[in-house]
Amino acid sequence: MESVRLGIIGIGNMGTAHSLHIHADRKVPGMVLSAVCDISEERLAWANEHLPGVAVFDQASDMYQSGLIDAVLIAVPHYDHPALATLAFANGLHVLVEKPAGVYTKQVLEMNAAAEEAGKVFGIMYNQRTNPVYQKVRELIQSGELGSLKRVVWIITNWYRPQAYHDSGSWRSTWKGEGGGTLINQNPHNLDLLQWMLGMPSRIRSFCSFGKYYDIEVEDDVTAYLEYPNGASGVYITSTGEAPGTNRLEISGDMGRIVVENNRISFDRNRISERKHNHINTEPFKAPESWYVEIPVSGDGGEQHIGILKNFTNAILHGEKLLAPGEEGVYGLLISNAIHYSTWTDSWAVLDSFDHDHFHELLQERINNSTVQKNVSQKVSDVRGSH
Amino acid sequence: MESVRLGIIGIGNMGTAHSLHIHADRKVPGMVLSAVCDISEERLAWANEHLPGVAVFDQASDMYQSGLIDAVLIAVPHYDHPALATLAFANGLHVLVEKPAGVYTKQVLEMNAAAEEAGKVFGIMYNQRTNPVYQKVRELIQSGELGSLKRVVWIITNWYRPQAYHDSGSWRSTWKGEGGGTLINQNPHNLDLLQWMLGMPSRIRSFCSFGKYYDIEVEDDVTAYLEYPNGASGVYITSTGEAPGTNRLEISGDMGRIVVENNRISFDRNRISERKHNHINTEPFKAPESWYVEIPVSGDGGEQHIGILKNFTNAILHGEKLLAPGEEGVYGLLISNAIHYSTWTDSWAVLDSFDHDHFHELLQERINNSTVQKNVSQKVSDVRGSH
């Protein structure tokens, strides 16, 4: 195979951007846009005009079976990701899925099983993994520079979205249309980065507010307490109701404290580990000597979506390792689901024994009991929330 | 009365410092140190040598009834504050009590009742209330500059205390000797400032770890989720096990966000309130215009203990309003007790209906079940933890 022939399903906000990057700007060497699919006539007309030479389809299965594509990029609303991915695998296609992997873990685990059976390349658009800042933090942790994890606090409240945003799509900010609020729409990248850098927490106790700031039924304010397998604790705070909001990530370990803010990394680094200091020290008020370090970070935010597309292409053509394997989409979603679940049940969510079926039931209850007077269409074309 | 004749009970770390400030350095106009009391012969010998002309007692009641003093400063271990204050009121004395007001709210409420009945001046050594930084933040909130509270996050983990600290006193870090760990020893100032600036939360859900970092039975790691009467949420994080640790206070309101760090106040101030913006705005991704403001703060940390002593003196002599009325000591302690209680019961602690008796029972259980092999003496002289 000399090049990957891609089909994009869903040419809304994200699909449109991807199509232009690949087709018009040729930003992804080895990748050719061969087909697009949407159920909106308006979007298909747009494709015919702006994507010359690209086949257009209004049915996913037709595109999948056309023989025109080797791989599909799925950029439809969240709920439809797993089913369309599973169908693609059944048609022998490689799959790159937009985030989130899905809305509830039960469907995503089924997608992952289909992926494993198919043996195709399966990626997820976790473009924030290309950000050198988070790559560096991850490396500092995994290399042992920070020492054993003690605490993480991520205040990520700069996701301000006014009422006008929630009113801008009939499916937006509804249980039926999105399956959640800011956890499922704005926060999937952050939740993935959290587990990518630190691994999975073992249990979660959360405090979500639903429609606290806006006339919506889903969560717009979240505080979650996390516990990790080694006993470390964490707090994850997000909201769409605060302006100007904060994005500050603090990670404490035995060797000191890392703070990420304004895309810069500082590291207050202990000269010897705190645990070692504590063992040999005899003075009641003495802390280990600590040095303030500014950690250099190369690149300016990373290649983002283009980087993921290149990596996906090279994985298919040359066996390059995926930066964001599709199967890993379930991790951030499990944290997200667990945060919902803990608040809904006013109890702990234990991740190792998470009740995927019960979560799905509780989500379905909320869909069934919804009183939102929006005409939710779940159109494949409308992906404006899939950032 | 031309001057206040003070007696200090407990001449350990804090009592000693206070005695020298008042007697040797004459830093408190209108206040004269007339007597001190301790049960330690060594400390009384020290007093005879370093506090010439000051009467020494080895029994509180003797000093109280000596006729030599108008007021008493109580600087003994936490548990003994309420009883010694109550006895002082019964003897017609004004009272200044070191923090915390006591160990459990039940005893502190009884002390407050005694104070009310006595009608004497009753202060508490919340010296951090003299810090212009917190005074300014309080003023920004109470004047409405910040608008309605949305969230507070205080990461106050720079209370590092190694094992050598916990081993430095037989009463330290035990249920019997202190009645708690970092909540009761290091954090009373912060918990008071929190309620002083923002008012009391309505309920708390907390996650304390006991002996996580040290060989102690009490808490050395705390995360608490707070809810306020207006629906605002908060997180309070503290620990003695992290180095170098953080002291960062973030308060979000309708008019923006205040951050206090390194004794400086920044205010990201919305040009119009977020709620008003949200009401009139029609653009999905538009946030209110925000201005970065550095808030000027006069003074360098404030007069601290000396300021409280001056204020207490002037309250007695001239009726000056107390900056830290003793009756307000119960607020921070209630938050502290509620944080313990929530973890012990793995449930919400509702402050309006807090079960003071049940808390006391649960604390007593921990004292009774303690397996700590320290010879806890609760000596009146040993106040080295009362910072």
Side-chain angles (χ1 to χ4, degrees), chain A residues 36-309:
Chain A
V36 294
C37 176
D38 208 301
I39 59 172
S40 155
E41 287 187 15
E42 183 269 329
R43 295 313 297 154
L44 295 179
W46 176 90
N48 276 320
E49 184 179 349
H50 293 91
L51 304 171
V54 175
V56 298
F57 293 89
D58 61 4
Q59 290 291 325
S61 54
D62 290 346
M63 182 173 79
Y64 286 180
Q65 293 163 10
S66 67
L68 293 175
I69 62 173
D70 309 304
V72 63
L73 169 51
I74 299 173
V76 299
H78 324 319
Y79 271 111
D80 298 328
H81 292 178
L84 287 169
T86 301
L87 186 62
F89 289 128
N91 282 278
L93 300 173
H94 304 291
V95 172
L96 180 60
V97 66
E98 265 291 346
K99 61 90 208 169
V103 173
Y104 48 97
T105 49
K106 182 180 171 170
Q107 61 170 186
V108 170
L109 290 171
E110 291 165 1
M111 172 175 72
N112 283 358
E116 188 178 358
E117 194 182 345
K120 295 292 172 180
V121 173
F122 177 33
I124 185 165
M125 190 59 86
Y126 277 149
N127 45 285
Q128 284 294 332
R129 290 196 186 186
T130 70
N131 187 331
V133 167
Y134 298 110
Q135 291 183 344
K136 192 73 173 187
V137 171
R138 182 172 188 253
E139 192 269 319
L140 290 172
I141 293 163
Q142 300 202 339
S143 65
E145 281 286 356
L146 186 61
S148 178
L149 179 68
K150 290 184 175 180
R151 187 189 310 285
V152 55
V153 182
W154 200 343
I155 307 174
I156 173 77
T157 52
N158 65 346
W159 285 123
Y160 183 67
R161 295 288 184 272
Q163 188 69 44
Y165 168 89
H166 304 285
D167 294 343
S168 68
S170 60
W171 54 280
R172 266 208 204 290
S173 307
T174 62
W175 295 118
K176 185 175 179 185
E178 289 203 85
T182 189
L183 284 170
I184 209 76
N185 193 310
Q186 287 83 32
N187 281 273
H189 287 303
N190 308 101
L191 294 175
D192 174 61
L193 292 174
L194 187 70
Q195 71 81 22
W196 191 54
M197 293 184 286
L198 299 171
M200 289 293 280
S202 48
R203 64 175 189 163
I204 293 175
R205 186 68 177 79
S206 77
F207 311 93
C208 300
S209 294
F210 305 94
K212 179 180 195 171
Y213 293 113
Y214 306 110
D215 183 19
I216 55 176
E217 62 184 359
V218 294
E219 78 284 356
D220 51 11
D221 184 46
V222 173
T223 302
Y225 173 74
L226 319 173
E227 278 184 10
Y228 286 84
N230 76 339
S233 61
V235 170
Y236 187 88
I237 297 169
T238 190
S239 174
T240 49
E242 286 169 58
T246 294
N247 183 358
R248 182 181 183 275
L249 170 63
E250 169 177 321
I251 309 174
S252 300
D254 196 19
M255 284 300 295
R257 181 188 65 157
I258 289 170
V259 174
V260 181
E261 197 167 11
N262 302 319
N263 236 27
R264 300 171 81 168
I265 306 171
S266 66
F267 182 13
D268 290 287
R269 185 179 183 279
N270 294 329
R271 195 162 174 185
I272 63 169
S273 91
E274 184 282 318
R275 291 287 81 187
K276 184 171 180 183
H277 163 85
N278 185 58
H279 189 65
I280 60 176
N281 165 65
T282 58
E283 298 177 37
F285 291 90
K286 188 174 179 183
E289 185 178 325
S290 179
W291 296 354
Y292 177 77
V293 183
E294 294 181 2
I295 301 292
V297 176
S298 58
D300 185 21
E303 285 201 290
Q304 295 293 333
H305 299 98
I306 304 299
I308 295 292
L309 290 167

Side-chain angles (χ1 to χ4, degrees), chain B residues 302-327:
Chain B
E303 284 202 289
Q304 295 293 334
H305 299 98
I306 304 297
I308 295 293
L309 288 167
K310 285 181 179 172
N311 176 236
F312 180 66
T313 302
N314 290 333
I316 295 169
L317 295 179
H318 314 300
E320 186 175 287
K321 192 175 181 214
L322 284 176
L323 179 63
E327 291 83 355

